[in-house]
Amino acid sequence: MSQIIWDVMSKKNDIEVRTLELALSQTRNRCLTLKDKITSVDSYIQEYSDILMPVDGKSISIDQQRNTIAFIGQLVDAKEKLCGAYDEFSLKSEALRAEILGVHMQGMKYRKIAELQSNEAHIELEAQERKLDDELFLAKFASRKHTL
């Protein structure tokens, strides 16, 4: 293949890497957002759990306890959903990293093949130049021999 084709393949590879890196960045940002939300829900769970066990000796009504327990249950469910989404985005992030690595490896392969072809073309050109020089030398030598 010509150098132009390898350059096009390399540029295509670079565009794919940038696209994947952008997706990875967005996925990481989403993971950070989810982690913050999980931390926030954890703090709410702790805050409402503290209401159920007051340290100052005050008691709360049974209805308030029931409502607080129901609300804590909803918070726990929300946290589980957030953790599930976080795990999903973490797996997606790992898959994107692996894909980026694969694309980088493919790009390195393209560059190496282009380099090898360039070297082979250079070696072939040098061999042709040597052959031409040898032929010219032989022609001069033969013409000298006939003149003597």
Side-chain angles (χ1 to χ4, degrees), residues 33-43 79 82-84 86:
T33 301
L34 287 169
K35 196 166 194 134
D36 287 343
K37 288 181 180 183
I38 291 169
T39 303
S40 177
V41 169
D42 270 339
S43 69
K79 179 183 174 185
L82 288 170
C83 287
Y86 177 80

Side-chain angles (χ1 to χ4, degrees), residues 13 16-17 20-21 23-25 27-28 89-108:
N13 195 333
E16 188 175 356
V17 166
L20 289 170
E21 285 175 343
L24 178 62
S25 175
T27 303
R28 284 182 178 164
F89 277 100
S90 292
L91 289 174
K92 184 178 179 181
S93 178
E94 290 300 318
L96 284 169
R97 279 190 208 116
E99 192 171 349
I100 288 170
L101 178 63
V103 171
H104 275 300
M105 296 300 285
Q106 186 177 18
M108 288 172 55

